């Protein structure tokens, strides 16, 4: 057998160093890619469960004994977004304490609870809104999976391949938003709008399969294990908060639009559930596919440059949406929204690529100053994972903002989404300015965090 890292019982792999070319070619690449594909599967199901209420609300009507107004339905799409965002920070931390394989097993299997309960209660006429809000909160467990998965994957791959690997991982997860909407469309188109339990029921066996595959084929690696307080360490850097703001603009928009798109079409153009479901999956699908493309573009041209132009494009797309609304043109409205989804995907990939690049530059400065290279880059990978957890949690809160803003906009006298769109346009312009001012101007980069002693990097428990 070729040379491999030292292992110990419990499927732990010690001595993980993807920056070592020899190690990467002998062992690292094969193990990393296997874990990547299984991570994508589990995260994909997590996203589908997280966003299942974007489909359930399309079924809610007097025909099944669940008559809720627009404000109630937007609230039902807001609660899962909020809970999923809040769980991302502890999920990101949990994978550093329990290992990628162990936490994936738990975080996937626990999705049986909200999915099974949703399957049951959506069939009960007269169920009060409060019950559905609790169920929506429980489906937020699926939103936390993103942070733990991304933290794990960033430790598996060398810095030069992280843009593409993180883009694939996140894009494969993000596409779960589109897939659950396709499932909803198929149910509505084949058996009508009175059988929403079939949507939730379809995911129960998939959750079991993904859990078993994670248990049998994934690994825990020492590189993902972080010292207690790593998230507090990155919180001291201004870059943490700038990156989080930019991620609010990209991922917050993606998940917010993904949850709200069907309701927006229903209330903006008086669509039936079937008409809305026919269109809703297109944007999240293309946005998810665009995420690894954004990561690859960032690998080639730099994350900050791609992010800057992407936010300009998002501002232009939002302006086009306002024009389409003024003309009451559904084709233009749909085309502009799909373009906006694609740009959110590209921006998701480019912003996340910026994170390891920031820490890699710090590691290079530390090595130039005499620090051990292996320790410096191991520290950089661990801090990258911590920042991804922080940025992922804060960025997902942008989805809450999107849904609450749409709720307020459609709840007004005008009953239109224009006020919300104008707000989003202003936010994207702010992100353009921040990206240029902080990351594109030729100024010396601020050290991200103070250097830590290299001796602390060697042990898995560090």
């Amino acid at each position: 057998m070729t040379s491999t890292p030292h292992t110990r019982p419990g499927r732990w792999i010690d001595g993980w160093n993807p920056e070592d070319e020899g190690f990467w070619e002998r062992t690292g690449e094969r193990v990393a890619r296997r874990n990547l594909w299984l991570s994508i599967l589990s995260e994909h199901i997590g996203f589908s469960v997280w966003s299942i209420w974007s489909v359930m609300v399309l079924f809610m009507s007097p025909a099944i004994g669940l008559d809720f107004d627009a404000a109630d339905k937007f609230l039902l799409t807001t609660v899962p977004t909020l809970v999923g965002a809040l769980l991302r920070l502890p999920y990101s931390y949990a994978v550093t304490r329990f290992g990628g394989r162990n936490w994936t097993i738990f975080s996937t299997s626990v999705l049986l609870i909200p999915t099974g309960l949703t399957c049951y209660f959506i069939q009960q006429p007269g169920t009060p809104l409060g019950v559905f809000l609790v169920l929506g909160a429980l489906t937020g467990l699926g939103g936390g999976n993103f942070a733990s998965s991304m933290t794990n994957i960033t430790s598996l791959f060398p810095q030069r391949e992280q843009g593409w690997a993180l883009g694939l991982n996140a894009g494969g997860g993000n596409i779960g938003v589109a897939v659950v909407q396709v499932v909803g469309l198929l149910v509505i188109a084949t058996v009508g709008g009175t059988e929403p339990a079939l949507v939730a029921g379809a995911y129960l066996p998939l959750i079991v399969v993904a859990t078993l595959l994670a248990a049998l084929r994934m690994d825990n690696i020492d590189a993902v294990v972080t010292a207690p307080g790593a998230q507090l360490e990155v919180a001291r850097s201004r870059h943490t908060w700038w990156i989080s703001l930019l991620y609010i603009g990209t991922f917050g928009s993606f998940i917010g639009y993904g949850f709200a798109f069907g309701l927006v079409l229903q209330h903006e153009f008086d669509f039936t559930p079937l008409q809305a479901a026919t269109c809703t999956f297109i944007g999240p699908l293309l946005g998810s596919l665009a995420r690894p493309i954004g990561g690859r573009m960032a690998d080639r041209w730099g994350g900050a440059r791609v992010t800057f132009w992407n936010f300009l494009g998002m501002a232009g797309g939002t302006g086009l949406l306002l024009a389409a609304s003024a003309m009451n043109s559904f084709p233009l409205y749909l085309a502009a929204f799909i373009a906006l989804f694609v740009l959110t995907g590209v921006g998701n990939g480019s912003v996340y690529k910026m994170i390891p690049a920031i820490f890699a530059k710090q590691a290079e400065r530390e090595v130039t100053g005499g620090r051990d290279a292996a320790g410096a880059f191991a520290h950089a990978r661990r801090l990258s994972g911590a920042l991804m957890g922080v940025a992922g949690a804060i960025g997902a809160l942008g989805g809450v903002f999107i849904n609450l803003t749409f709720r307020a906009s459609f709840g007004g006298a005008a009953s239109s989404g224009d006020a919300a769109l104008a707000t989003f346009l202003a936010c994207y312009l702010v992100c353009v300015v921040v990206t240029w001012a902080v990351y594109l101007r030729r100024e010396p980069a601020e050290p991200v965090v103070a250097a830590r002693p290299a001796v602390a990097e060697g042990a898995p428990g560090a």
Side-chain angles (χ1 to χ4, degrees):
M1 184 175 179
T2 58
S3 176
T4 59
H6 297 295
T7 60
R8 63 176 182 262
R11 296 182 63 87
W12 278 91
I13 299 179
D14 298 332
W16 189 265
N17 184 15
E19 303 297 342
D20 182 329
E21 291 284 354
F23 166 78
W24 181 248
E25 292 177 2
R26 289 191 309 271
T27 302
E29 184 173 12
R30 172 176 53 83
V31 174
R33 293 191 183 280
R34 184 183 70 240
N35 280 267
L36 172 62
W37 295 119
L38 293 174
S39 174
I40 289 172
L41 173 63
S42 296
E43 189 189 342
H44 173 90
I45 293 173
F47 261 91
S48 293
V49 172
W50 186 25
S51 57
I52 201 168
W53 282 96
S54 69
V55 177
M56 294 294 105
V57 293
L58 300 180
F59 286 89
M60 288 179 158
S61 69
I64 62 170
L66 300 171
D67 187 16
F68 298 111
D69 61 20
D72 292 336
K73 291 180 180 180
F74 274 113
L75 192 59
L76 277 169
T77 59
T78 300
V79 169
T81 316
L82 175 62
V83 174
L86 295 178
L87 286 177
R88 286 182 164 206
L89 208 54
Y91 266 54
S92 177
Y93 174 75
V95 75
T96 70
R97 307 315 303 160
F98 302 109
R101 168 184 174 267
N102 296 346
W103 188 252
T104 301
I105 293 170
F106 168 78
S107 62
T108 305
S109 62
V110 77
L111 297 179
L112 288 168
I113 297 172
T115 308
L117 291 175
T118 297
C119 188
Y120 173 77
F121 279 103
I122 199 69
Q123 301 178 82
Q124 309 305 312
T127 300
L129 179 65
V131 172
F132 289 121
L133 291 175
V134 171
L135 294 180
L138 289 174
T139 60
L141 291 168
N145 288 11
F146 173 86
S148 56
S149 178
M150 294 294 275
T151 300
N152 190 41
I153 294 304
T154 193
S155 299
L156 284 165
F157 284 84
Q159 200 274 334
R160 65 182 181 278
E161 294 192 22
Q162 284 178 0
W164 179 241
L166 292 172
L168 281 176
N169 189 58
N174 291 171
I175 208 170
V177 179
V179 171
V180 74
Q181 292 170 352
V182 170
V183 174
L185 170 61
L186 292 175
V187 170
I188 294 173
T190 55
V191 300
T194 58
E195 300 293 338
L198 293 176
V199 180
Y203 280 91
L204 294 173
L206 296 177
I207 294 170
V208 173
V209 170
T211 301
L212 290 175
L213 287 174
L216 294 172
R217 299 293 295 160
M218 288 189 75
D219 303 283
N220 299 306
I221 63 168
D222 67 332
V224 77
V225 179
T226 354
Q231 290 175 338
L232 292 176
E233 190 175 357
V234 298
R236 292 197 294 269
S237 169
R238 69 184 180 102
H239 291 287
T240 297
W241 307 108
W242 290 130
I243 290 292
S244 296
L245 173 64
L246 299 181
Y247 202 55
I248 286 173
T250 57
F251 180 76
S253 295
F254 173 83
I255 199 65
Y257 293 148
F259 273 74
F261 193 26
L263 287 176
V264 170
L265 293 180
Q266 277 192 314
H267 295 287
E268 187 79 27
F269 296 99
D270 295 322
F271 274 16
T272 65
L274 178 58
Q275 289 174 316
T278 302
C279 302
T280 52
F281 74 93
I282 303 173
L285 173 63
L286 296 180
S288 301
L289 295 175
R291 182 156 190 162
I293 296 173
R296 182 65 86 189
M297 292 168 64
D299 283 340
R300 181 169 183 178
W301 293 302
R305 184 176 293 110
V306 174
T307 299
F308 173 80
W309 288 106
N310 193 75
F311 274 123
L312 280 177
M314 290 176 69
T318 309
L320 195 58
L321 275 174
L322 287 167
S325 177
M327 295 185 289
N328 197 33
S329 170
F330 169 69
L332 182 59
Y333 197 89
L334 179 63
F337 231 127
I338 290 173
L340 198 54
F341 267 111
V342 171
L343 290 170
T344 64
V346 172
N348 286 339
S350 64
V351 171
Y352 252 53
K353 169 61 180 177
M354 293 169 68
I355 295 173
I358 289 170
F359 288 105
K361 287 182 180 179
Q362 179 192 339
E364 290 170 2
R365 293 194 299 270
E366 292 174 354
V367 171
T368 302
R371 185 178 180 181
D372 170 66
F377 282 102
H379 185 213
R381 285 193 301 274
R382 288 166 176 160
L383 292 178
S384 293
L387 178 49
M388 285 179 182
V390 174
I394 297 174
L397 290 174
V400 178
F401 173 73
I402 293 280
N403 279 272
L404 288 179
T405 306
F406 271 131
R407 183 173 186 260
S409 185
F410 280 105
S415 190
S416 164
D418 288 359
L421 293 174
T423 303
F424 305 150
L425 174 58
C427 292
Y428 297 145
L429 292 175
V430 169
C431 290
V432 169
V433 173
V434 168
T435 307
W436 175 81
V438 179
Y439 294 107
L440 286 181
R441 286 193 305 175
R442 295 185 179 277
E443 293 184 351
E446 173 196 321
V448 181
V449 289
R452 294 168 52 197
V455 67
E457 313 303 337

